[in-house]
Amino acid sequence: MTLWQNNGQKPNEKGHTMAQNFWGDELPSRVDLPPAADPARPGYGRIDFDKLPNTRDLGGMAGSDGRRVKPGLLLRSGTLGFGSLADIDRLRDDYDLSLVVDFRNLIELSELPDPMDRIPAARYLHAEIFSDGQVGVTQEHDTTAFEYKLEAMAQGDPVEFMTLLYPHMLIDETGIDGYRSFVRAVLDVEEGAALWHCYVGRDRCGMGSVLIETLLGVSRDDILADYLATNLYAPIDLTLDSPASICYFEATERALEPFGGFMGYLTGTLGVTEADIEAFRRRCLED
């Protein structure tokens, strides 16, 4: 995959080219960026909201048999609590939002709840991926995510920390329960749009998006590119602190090899059936 090169690049004081995000902020070379967006999904589906910088529509992605995802049905986002009143009203009215899935933990929810009172017709699902203590243990893994965190913090390497932690979003019991309820809720939507989010729309939301895109038959390259696109749209301080990374994605892939990859995880661990997949594709992919 060829990393995206922004048309807005400019040389720094040493003459080296600096990539920029959507807002014109300079990004260091360590930040992975996607290739140029597919013309069928310009801007990686970003919706131009006032205060929701990383809300994106999966519409236009190429799925099974080359059929494109229908626009306006599947949305990924950061926390809705940051949205303006106009943003939330637009989600309600223009997108007929019928499902909101929140991957955050209870502390995060208490600090900045979603404004569901403005979307009364939408179902709200709290699908926690990491608990407040982040100490879930699976039968297959006797080391907790918390212990991994302590190990990485002791090493003083945030990249190593995230590389170790990322797979635990999917293989710890809390994550399995959260993603199972999330996928089932999205599969059960009959009308209107489904939206899922974490805090900035990168890690927990990113892996949730991978699962949905896998169900739709999107290619690995396109799935990875969509994951990395958050680095273009998230606030610069959050991107520099912990950007989406190819190495985190690949670490998750390796961890899911015993499960049969992302699709095996969906059908084996989360219990999605072939009939579920066929019905979901009929609803969400263009003819």
Side-chain angles (χ1 to χ4, degrees):
M1 174 179 290
T2 302
L3 294 185
W4 178 78
Q5 298 294 312
N6 193 319
N7 291 332
Q9 286 184 330
K10 61 182 181 181
N12 62 15
E13 66 277 6
K14 295 183 179 180
H16 297 298
T17 302
M18 301 289 291
Q20 295 179 334
N21 67 8
F22 178 81
W23 317 104
D25 300 309
E26 293 184 355
L27 297 170
S29 59
R30 64 181 173 83
V31 176
D32 294 333
L33 295 178
D38 186 333
R41 190 181 177 229
Y44 283 95
R46 180 181 177 271
I47 305 170
D48 189 18
F49 286 118
D50 294 333
K51 296 184 178 180
L52 294 174
N54 192 31
T55 301
R56 293 185 276 131
D57 188 343
L58 268 58
M61 297 189 81
S64 176
D65 299 322
R67 292 177 292 164
R68 299 281 178 175
V69 179
K70 296 177 183 177
L73 295 181
L74 301 168
L75 310 180
R76 54 175 297 166
S77 183
T79 302
L80 296 185
F82 288 120
S84 67
L85 294 181
D87 292 338
I88 304 306
D89 290 349
R90 186 176 169 195
L91 282 171
R92 180 194 64 216
D93 299 335
D94 293 357
Y95 288 88
D96 187 22
L97 198 60
S98 63
L99 173 68
V100 173
V101 181
D102 192 333
F103 293 129
R104 297 175 298 161
N105 62 36
L106 292 174
I107 292 177
E108 292 173 295
L109 265 62
S110 66
E111 293 174 343
L112 189 64
D114 283 347
M116 296 307 298
D117 58 317
R118 299 194 67 84
I119 323 172
R123 174 192 175 192
Y124 176 81
L125 173 66
H126 178 214
E128 187 176 56
I129 301 304
F130 278 129
S131 65
D132 296 329
Q134 297 184 339
V135 293
V137 183
T138 70
Q139 293 179 352
E140 296 83 7
H141 298 265
D142 58 6
T143 304
T144 67
F146 180 66
E147 288 168 336
Y148 275 134
K149 180 177 180 179
L150 291 179
E151 176 186 341
M153 289 178 65
Q155 296 171 347
D157 186 343
V159 174
E160 181 67 14
F161 161 45
M162 291 299 292
T163 302
L164 290 170
L165 189 64
Y166 240 78
H168 284 261
M169 285 190 280
L170 290 97
I171 64 178
D172 279 4
E173 288 181 357
T174 302
I176 289 173
D177 291 343
Y179 282 126
R180 181 186 290 120
S181 61
F182 156 64
V183 169
R184 176 47 53 190
V186 174
L187 291 176
D188 287 346
V189 170
E190 296 181 355
E191 296 183 355
L195 179 148
W196 54 94
H197 73 86
C198 51
Y199 183 75
V200 72
R202 177 181 52 233
D203 306 316
R204 293 164 290 186
C205 171
M207 291 300 101
S209 301
V210 169
L211 296 177
I212 296 301
E213 291 159 10
T214 298
L215 288 175
L216 292 170
V218 176
S219 71
R220 179 190 183 276
D221 279 356
D222 287 349
I223 289 173
L224 176 56
D226 183 60
Y227 162 68
L228 294 176
T230 287
N231 291 338
L232 301 176
Y233 300 118
I236 186 65
D237 56 330
L238 298 176
T239 300
L240 294 178
D241 178 60
S242 181
S245 173
I246 294 173
C247 70
Y248 306 156
F249 186 93
E250 291 176 342
T252 307
E253 286 184 309
R254 290 192 297 271
L256 291 186
E257 286 176 0
F259 296 79
F262 285 110
M263 184 60 84
Y265 174 81
L266 282 157
T267 58
T269 303
L270 302 191
V272 178
T273 67
E274 290 298 326
D276 290 330
I277 296 172
E278 291 176 7
F280 187 53
R281 291 179 177 180
R282 281 197 302 271
R283 176 176 184 264
C284 295
L285 296 179
E286 295 176 345
D287 297 330

